[in-house]
Amino acid sequence: MENDDLILVVDDTPANLEVISEALSDAGLEVAIATDGERAIKQAERSSPGLILLDIMMPGIDGFETCRRLKASSITKEIPVIFMTALSDSTDKINGFNLGAVDYITKPFQEAEVIARVKTHLKLRQLNKNLETQVCLRTAELMTALKRMEDSQIQLIQSEKMATLGQLVAGVAHEINNPINFIHGNLTHIEEYTQTLLEFLHLYQIYYPQPVGEIQAKAKEMDLNFLQEDMPKIISSLRIGTDRIRQIVLSLRNFSRLDEATCKEINIHDGIDSTLVILQHRLKAKSDTHSIELICEYGDLPLVECYPGLLNQVFMNILANAIEALEEIQVKRKSEHLNQEPCRITISTSVIPGDQVEIIISDNGIGIPENIKQNIFEPFFTTKPVGKGTGLGLSISYQIIKEQHRGILKCVSTQGVGTQFIIQIPIFQKIKPPDRVSMISDHIIR
């Protein structure tokens, strides 16, 4: 522990020690003494004085060597050293300054000069320590500000592109919605009109079972009996198709949620399902990959207070990463002529203690290597080739869960087994709306 008021006086002459010690004590300073360089070094390391008065001409190691060893030690290198000497050669003074001394006191001593120089250097040391403290505090403040700025830039870098994507999704959904509603609405009339015509045709066949030859030939050519049976089936298929398109449009609108920048109660499962609709095509088999099995194990969840658009981005980022990981492992196994094990993604939800909900998204891929697992939530960290990923998806997801939802996002991964992303958020947020910078991440996806 440092003792800034302690002065260590090093001199092999008892008379000099007595004079200096008395003068410093009268000035209200605490004094310790040493009679050679070795003792001085040990005492300086033990008591950490505020300043050392060091004689040059001493038996054993001289003052210069003592100073050199003091400055070489991490414990004593910051302690100011003032040489005491009867030498007047400028070469000796230059040598002392080169070794790290801050001043010289010439023998015989002038008491007032000694006190003035000692107090000046004690004050300078204290000012220097205060300055270092202020620099450290300011540096910490600047690092915090830099971190905030980097976090903002991470969101701003992607905001234009992703906001445009969100608007595009909502725009496409709107454009599709109008004509499909028109088609879906008119299907009811077409079904009624078709049924009327079929009933009329059936009635005609009852009362005119033997029409003229030309009508019989045309009925045979058209396979009239088949048309009568198949027409209702076609209309039913059309209705199923339009229902499916309307559901996709609804999922697109739920996913983009351009008009929802406030915290509101939602069904978490609706957000997951709408995200899965967007990613459905990527789960299907392709020329070089098999289909990915999807297992949803939904618990009985209450409505959860959250920012729906932001939460959907988290689901999108994690699910897209899981799909990419499973696609990569399938391509690798195929190139190495290995057995293609079934790939699957499991999504489970539940209520956990503390009025929280937990969403676990798991895959049975190859897992994440231990040496990079700790870096996956860092901005711009990615293992993908250049142009294949920004390294922002998981970083932004972490911010959304931690900052916007006061929750936890963690990764559990075992190589050769798979990866789990665990999301835990409170059921009730009770927080202010996100600020402008936070809101722009509303449409950020990987």
Side-chain angles (χ1 to χ4, degrees):
M1 183 176 180
E2 295 182 1
N3 188 346
D4 291 337
D5 291 329
L6 177 65
I7 311 299
L8 175 61
V9 182
V10 187
D11 198 313
D12 63 321
T13 304
N16 290 339
L17 288 175
E18 183 178 351
V19 171
I20 291 291
S21 298
E22 184 176 347
L24 294 174
S25 296
D26 290 343
L29 298 170
E30 185 180 350
V31 181
I33 62 173
T35 56
D36 59 56
E38 295 286 357
R39 288 190 178 92
I41 293 170
K42 291 179 181 178
Q43 189 158 341
E45 290 177 344
R46 183 173 62 252
S47 59
S48 191
L51 187 143
I52 299 174
L53 292 176
L54 179 61
D55 188 26
I56 292 179
M57 305 300 292
M58 294 185 298
I61 62 172
D62 63 12
F64 291 137
E65 176 62 16
T66 303
C67 183
R68 187 192 66 77
R69 287 166 61 174
L70 286 169
K71 295 301 176 182
S73 169
S74 61
I75 301 174
T76 58
K77 65 180 181 180
E78 300 298 332
I79 303 174
V81 174
I82 298 178
F83 277 123
M84 301 185 297
T85 181
L87 301 175
S88 59
D89 190 340
S90 60
T91 302
D92 290 325
K93 292 182 179 180
I94 292 171
N95 186 30
F97 285 127
N98 287 336
L99 288 171
V102 297
D103 206 348
Y104 268 88
I105 295 175
T106 305
K107 299 178 181 179
F109 303 118
Q110 297 294 323
E111 184 175 318
E113 179 187 359
V114 172
I115 299 301
R117 289 180 183 272
V118 166
K119 286 188 174 181
T120 295
H121 286 291
L122 286 176
K123 186 175 182 180
L124 286 173
R125 190 187 186 202
Q126 187 60 48
L127 290 172
N128 187 55
K129 289 171 67 176
N130 291 341
L131 180 60
E132 289 178 354
T133 301
Q134 292 176 11
V135 168
C136 289
L137 290 173
R138 185 58 177 159
T139 300
E141 291 173 359
L142 290 173
M143 291 301 293
T144 300
L146 179 62
K147 178 64 168 60
R148 290 194 187 120
M149 185 177 70
E150 287 177 347
D151 291 344
S152 298
Q153 286 177 335
I154 290 170
Q155 296 171 338
L156 288 169
I157 286 170
Q158 293 294 311
S159 63
E160 283 297 325
K161 180 174 69 176
M162 297 313 171
T164 301
L165 178 59
Q167 292 168 358
L168 177 63
V169 169
V172 169
H174 177 73
E175 291 300 320
I176 294 175
N177 194 51
N178 287 338
I180 203 63
N181 280 342
F182 174 79
I183 295 170
H184 186 79
N186 280 311
L187 275 177
T188 300
H189 302 301
I190 293 174
E191 190 173 28
E192 292 175 359
Y193 300 159
T194 301
Q195 188 61 37
T196 299
L197 290 173
L198 290 175
E199 289 175 357
F200 179 79
L201 181 60
H202 181 66
L203 189 62
Y204 176 84
Q205 290 173 326
I206 291 175
Y207 288 98
Y208 295 94
Q210 296 297 326
V212 297
E214 185 177 353
I215 292 178
Q216 290 186 37
K218 191 64 176 177
K220 184 176 181 180
E221 179 186 338
M222 294 168 54
D223 197 352
L224 186 59
N225 290 335
F226 173 76
L227 290 179
Q228 287 175 279
E229 293 176 1
D230 198 46
M231 183 62 75
K233 296 178 183 177
I234 291 175
I235 293 174
S236 177
S237 296
L238 288 173
R239 184 176 293 280
I240 292 172
T242 56
D243 281 334
R244 176 62 177 155
I245 295 174
R246 292 175 75 204
Q247 182 60 45
I248 292 173
V249 168
L250 179 60
S251 296
L252 289 170
R253 294 174 67 183
N254 287 340
F255 175 78
S256 61
R257 292 186 182 270
L258 289 175
D259 57 340
E260 294 181 10
T262 57
C263 187
K264 62 181 294 184
E265 289 186 341
I266 68 158
N267 184 333
I268 291 288
H269 298 150
D270 288 345
I272 297 174
D273 291 340
S274 66
T275 305
L276 291 173
V277 169
I278 306 296
L279 295 171
Q280 188 64 43
H281 68 287
R282 297 187 59 184
L283 299 172
K284 297 178 180 178
K286 301 178 182 64
S287 59
D288 55 350
T289 60
H290 296 289
S291 62
I292 298 172
E293 182 184 2
L294 180 66
I295 301 173
C296 292
E297 300 173 343
Y298 291 166
D300 185 13
L301 301 187
L303 295 179
V304 177
E305 288 183 358
C306 66
Y307 299 98
L310 294 179
L311 204 56
N312 286 346
Q313 305 306 327
V314 176
F315 298 149
M316 172 66 78
N317 290 337
I318 296 175
L319 286 167
N321 281 350
I323 292 171
E324 288 178 7
L326 293 175
E327 288 174 341
E328 288 175 9
I329 192 174
Q330 288 194 62
V331 171
K332 181 180 180 181
R333 286 171 178 168
K334 184 176 181 180
S335 65
E336 296 176 356
H337 305 289
L338 300 174
N339 291 332
Q340 291 281 13
E341 299 177 12
C343 290
R344 72 180 62 88
I345 294 174
T346 303
I347 306 172
S348 62
T349 63
S350 62
V351 176
I352 60 175
D355 286 333
Q356 293 193 324
V357 294
E358 181 177 73
I359 303 103
I360 301 177
I361 300 175
S362 310
D363 67 66
N364 63 337
I366 58 175
I368 301 173
E370 285 293 329
N371 62 325
I372 68 171
K373 193 187 302 182
Q374 62 184 3
N375 304 117
I376 62 173
F377 294 122
E378 294 179 2
F380 304 110
F381 178 81
T382 180
T383 57
K384 298 177 183 178
V386 176
K388 294 293 185 180
T390 62
L392 291 173
L394 289 178
S395 173
I396 290 170
S397 297
Y398 185 82
Q399 290 181 25
I400 289 172
I401 296 301
K402 182 179 179 182
E403 297 177 11
Q404 269 70 44
H405 293 90
R406 300 186 301 125
I408 295 172
L409 173 59
K410 56 186 176 181
C411 175
V412 178
S413 186
T414 304
Q415 283 197 275
V417 177
T419 301
Q420 278 190 343
F421 280 93
I422 301 170
I423 303 167
Q424 296 173 348
I425 60 173
I427 296 173
F428 307 104
Q429 285 294 321
K430 298 179 182 178
I431 58 175
K432 297 178 180 179
D435 57 28
R436 181 179 178 276
V437 172
S438 300
M439 286 171 62
I440 62 172
S441 66
D442 211 9
H443 309 293
I444 296 178
I445 61 174
R446 188 169 182 79

